[in-house]
Amino acid sequence: MAYVLGGGNNEADGFTTAIANFALRAMHESTGLVEFTQVVAPNQGNQYLVPNFAPITYQDYNPAGSSGGDGFGTPPLAVEQNPALGQGSITATPAVAATAFDVFYAWTTSFELAATLGAELGESYGEKVDIRVCEAFLSFKVSPGNTNYSPTPADGFARPTQLGAMEVIGATNTSGTWTMGFTSNTILGLVRNVKQNYKTARLPGTPIIVLDSNGDAQTQSGYTGDQVGSSLNRMLAELTGGAVSQTGGSNLSNLGNELLSTGRIESVYGCMVVFTTFLSSAVRTVVGQTSLPVLVGGYFHETAIFTVLKEGLQIKMGEKPGGLQMWLTGLAYMGAGVADPRRGGAINILQE
């Protein structure tokens, strides 16, 4: 619509009227991380209580294992294992957004504006859920290397109580103290490490890996290759030989196309890789060097993280005192947290 200056029939109001009727809202995009969690309601107040059993394992039966001949004796004979119960909890907390607008744009368009802003409140809520899920990654073990049950379970094979953190450092970087199976200087190397440790933990199905799409990866001094910027950019460079490099390149693979169009890859080395802008920042020890800046991603089975909804999104509307403005609020009461550290781990992504 053209903005007409002057005119005897209120033509100059055309621009204002267009704004009122076709208000443009900010755009929001959720990665849908809640899809990869267990969504539950609180079972006590605003908390979801999570019981975790120690693993029950089998050992070969020995009828002469004890004086009573019941087969339960001192290891390495068959043992009666005590399935100790640990209790964790995940808390839901309120999240609120609010906005208001003048009614003077036109009385007849107030509800159209409310619908526009209400849609934005809903999309922003999806982002807030993503943020809560990403914050849960901070509850995973912070350092590489699995922590195993002690003593070893009855079947004689180690089983983790916590999965170790993966480390992703800059391309070509070989400095520091690497932890075999947990440290990598490429994104695809990270995916291979995750797949291996996922199987070490005897977890079924497909691991979910969440990385950054807005980070600034650590690089070696003088490095001018393709693996710079975010983990998303680095993975594209590795998959396509520099499809998004600063120096050019147009060989875009099917996986690269999938990543660019959806923000995730359904399967690479049997892992789903998802990218988000909501990873938390932290200062951690990486490759044996202390106090380094990282973004904290995660790798996990879909039952590792619970999203607790005490109340889903509520959008309310009313009139501000004086009747000159309408107000809108969005209210949610939810939280996310790690239910079982045996089913997932952190990813420390080294930043500049």
Side-chain angles (χ1 to χ4, degrees), residues 88-331:
S89 66
I90 299 169
T91 303
T93 57
V96 182
T99 186
F101 55 91
D102 291 341
V103 299
F104 298 117
Y105 283 122
W107 288 102
T108 58
T109 60
S110 295
F111 288 99
E112 282 84 349
L113 277 170
T116 297
L117 295 172
E120 183 177 346
L121 286 173
E123 293 175 0
S124 180
Y125 167 70
E127 291 185 338
K128 186 62 176 178
V129 175
D130 281 5
I131 292 169
R132 292 277 174 90
V133 172
C134 288
E135 288 172 346
F137 302 156
L138 296 172
S139 299
F140 285 126
K141 186 183 178 187
V142 302
S143 57
N146 297 334
T147 301
N148 294 325
Y149 279 95
S150 181
T152 301
D155 59 11
F157 293 93
R159 184 181 288 268
T161 60
Q162 289 183 302
L163 297 190
M166 297 291 166
E167 298 179 325
V168 185
I169 60 178
T172 73
N173 187 353
T174 58
S175 63
T177 303
W178 287 38
T179 303
M180 185 65 66
F182 291 88
T183 305
S184 175
N185 58 10
T186 66
I187 302 301
L188 292 179
L190 160 72
V191 176
R192 290 193 294 269
N193 286 341
V194 165
K195 185 67 173 182
Q196 173 180 287
N197 205 42
Y198 194 82
K199 290 303 180 184
T200 297
R202 307 180 210 172
L203 294 171
T206 300
I208 299 155
I209 302 172
V210 181
L211 300 173
D212 66 282
S213 56
N214 63 331
D216 184 13
Q218 177 259 8
T219 55
Q220 291 293 88
S221 176
Y223 178 72
T224 58
D226 301 320
Q227 289 196 46
V228 296
S230 68
S231 296
L232 184 149
N233 190 76
R234 295 177 66 184
M235 189 170 195
L236 277 171
E238 294 171 28
L239 288 172
T240 65
V244 293
S245 71
Q246 296 177 351
T247 57
S250 59
N251 178 29
L252 193 59
S253 67
N254 289 334
L255 286 176
N257 272 316
E258 180 186 0
L259 176 54
L260 286 172
S261 61
T262 66
R264 69 178 66 164
I265 294 181
E266 291 293 330
S267 181
V268 55
Y269 298 133
C271 302
M272 177 183 289
V273 186
V274 183
F275 295 88
T276 181
T277 60
F278 297 130
L279 297 186
S280 300
S281 299
V283 175
R284 291 185 172 175
T285 297
V286 181
V287 291
Q289 300 173 16
T290 59
S291 302
L292 296 179
V294 298
L295 291 176
V296 182
Y299 68 98
F300 52 94
H301 186 267
E302 61 185 7
T303 59
I305 296 175
F306 280 39
T307 298
V308 182
L309 292 179
K310 185 173 176 65
E311 290 185 18
L313 177 64
Q314 296 183 17
I315 295 180
K316 300 181 180 181
M317 180 177 178
E319 202 173 75
K320 297 192 76 171
L324 303 181
Q325 284 186 322
M326 301 293 290
W327 57 258
L328 277 172
T329 62
L331 169 63

